[in-house]
Amino acid sequence: MLTLALTAVALVSGAAGVATATWASRHGTLGGRAIVAAVGVTVLGGAAAAAGLVVLTTGIPLFAVVHLAYLGLTVSVPLLALGIGVLAVARGAPRAVWALVVVGLLPAPLGIYATHVEPYRLRVDRQVVALDPERAGDDEVRIAVLADLQTNHVGDHEQRAVDEVLAAEPDVILLPGDLFQGSDGDLDGVVDEMRALLGRLEAPQGVFFVRGDVDGHDGGHADRVLEGTGIEILVDEVAEIEVGDRTLRIGGTGLGYDGPWADAVRADLGRTPVDGAVTILLSHRPDTVLALPAASRVDLTVAGHTHGGQVVLPVVGPLVTFSDVPRAVARGGLHRVDGNPIYVSSGVGLEREHAPQVRFLSRPTVGVLTLRDG
């Protein structure tokens, strides 16, 4: 499918190159130099087709191709447009050519913003979750959500995220997975810094973590990073805590959110043997909410994973979410799915390794949820 798409891009680019050269020759504006520029457009399309062929034959990760395409859009295309602009100045091009130049240059500042600005524009998302009046107790419960730290180093951005969590003075802190993304060797160099960072996370009633995709089914990096921090890892189990005059039951499911062990956690929360307890389902992937019965006894599901789409376009919305929940839900924030409240954090970090490390219209987020009677 990817190869077909890239081939289509190549064909369209080639057609555009030929059309541009033909138009320029007939109108006598940029002459032969316009043909050179048009050939540049065609070459970009050919590169896209070649990338598709490489993926098909060598198995290079999809994210590597996405990264290549991103660089082509934000670097190669603007450079080509700049070259056309220089020729346009020299040969007195019509307005149509200048419009083409402006459009071609636009990806450059957008790329700078998406790569170097938005990934660090941390925001605090404050939401109020209305509890069923039948739940025992009257006290508010404040929960901080720190999802998808997904870093390979500890810098000012990561420290600021923890600062915001602590500034909210939460009763409980929830971590829906994905702490560190990198090789074992990468982790060796920063494991002490990661432990120091996460060791700062303290809340009166505890800090709870479930594993995400980069944490691995068997713990992997997460167990090393969390060693000695006091953070409790929930592996398809339920923790019970007291917050003021409320009882909270927090059920944590692993990556196998649709497996039998996760089913048991959801069933446990659904029947809730503790009278009037507030129930929270914590999972890395928001898809776990799809396994709940409509309007279930679970008061809130908390998840991450989607990064809010990480790249969002106006009108279109998130380009990809890697989730089966509705796109508006995967976009992040507080929603309902079949009557079940769910909070999806757009996360703090971003996809690393082969992927372009960008965010666009999907700012990194720390969640602060206040649970009170509705």
Side-chain angles (χ1 to χ4, degrees):
M1 199 64 188
L2 173 65
T3 303
L4 289 175
L6 290 171
T7 301
V9 170
L11 292 174
V12 171
S13 299
V18 172
T20 302
T22 302
W23 176 86
S25 297
R26 288 180 178 177
H27 289 76
T29 52
L30 300 183
R33 295 182 182 178
I35 298 177
V36 175
V39 169
V41 175
T42 307
V43 168
L44 288 176
L53 182 61
V54 169
V55 170
L56 187 64
T57 58
T58 67
I60 287 179
L62 171 62
F63 277 137
V65 177
V66 174
H67 203 158
L68 176 64
Y70 177 73
L71 292 174
L73 177 65
T74 60
V75 178
S76 301
V77 170
L79 286 175
L80 179 60
L82 181 61
I84 294 175
V86 172
L87 292 176
V89 171
R91 303 298 293 267
R95 291 181 180 179
V97 173
W98 285 113
L100 178 65
V101 170
V102 170
V103 170
L105 290 173
L106 186 59
L110 292 179
I112 292 172
Y113 173 79
T115 302
H116 301 289
V117 179
E118 183 159 315
Y120 308 102
R121 292 189 63 210
L122 185 70
R123 71 185 183 97
V124 178
D125 181 25
R126 302 181 186 275
Q127 301 280 355
V128 174
V129 180
L131 294 175
D132 190 320
E134 294 184 0
R135 302 296 179 261
D138 300 305
D139 291 343
E140 292 185 349
V141 178
R142 185 173 299 154
I143 298 174
V145 180
L146 180 63
D148 300 291
L149 193 62
Q150 205 155 338
T151 187
N152 54 16
H153 70 285
V154 177
D156 292 342
H157 177 65
E158 290 75 23
Q159 296 286 1
R160 189 162 62 251
V162 171
D163 288 343
E164 293 289 1
V165 167
L166 297 177
E169 299 182 346
D171 300 299
V172 183
I173 298 173
L174 300 182
L175 308 177
D178 278 4
L179 296 177
F180 178 88
Q181 186 174 9
S183 67
D184 291 338
D186 293 334
L187 182 57
D188 289 340
V190 298
V191 65
D192 290 337
E193 295 175 59
M194 290 291 296
R195 288 173 183 164
L197 175 73
L198 295 168
R200 294 177 54 205
L201 293 172
E202 293 184 349
Q205 307 309 322
V207 184
F208 299 90
F209 167 83
V210 292
R211 294 181 180 125
D213 292 273
V214 302
D215 302 313
H217 288 272
D218 57 353
H221 292 158
D223 286 1
R224 288 185 62 194
V225 166
L226 295 178
E227 183 179 343
T229 63
I231 295 173
E232 183 173 350
I233 303 174
L234 297 178
V235 182
D236 296 319
E237 58 188 314
V238 178
E240 186 174 310
I241 59 176
E242 304 294 327
V243 179
D245 62 356
R246 304 269 195 186
T247 297
L248 264 67
R249 304 191 74 235
I250 303 172
T253 63
L255 287 177
Y257 60 89
D258 54 352
W261 296 106
D263 287 341
V265 170
R266 285 186 289 264
D268 189 355
L269 293 177
R271 56 178 171 265
T272 308
V274 179
D275 291 340
V278 175
T279 56
I280 298 172
L281 176 60
L282 176 63
S283 181
H284 177 62
R285 300 183 185 181
D287 303 67
T288 189
V289 75
L290 301 176
L292 290 173
S296 73
R297 173 63 175 73
V298 175
D299 293 301
L300 178 66
T301 298
V302 175
H305 178 62
T306 68
H307 301 183
Q310 195 163 307
V311 174
V312 178
L313 299 183
V315 181
V316 175
L319 295 183
V320 293
T321 64
F322 297 107
S323 174
D324 290 330
V325 299
R327 288 164 60 81
V329 176
R331 178 75 177 84
L334 184 63
H335 301 272
R336 284 184 176 269
V337 175
D338 289 335
N340 293 304
I342 178 171
Y343 179 77
V344 179
S345 172
S346 59
V348 171
L350 37 72
E351 186 67 33
R352 295 184 180 273
E353 295 186 338
H354 300 293
Q357 295 173 28
V358 301
R359 276 185 180 266
F360 187 70
L361 300 184
S362 182
R363 291 173 60 184
T365 302
V366 166
V368 178
L369 314 178
T370 300
L371 282 56
R372 61 166 68 119
D373 288 336

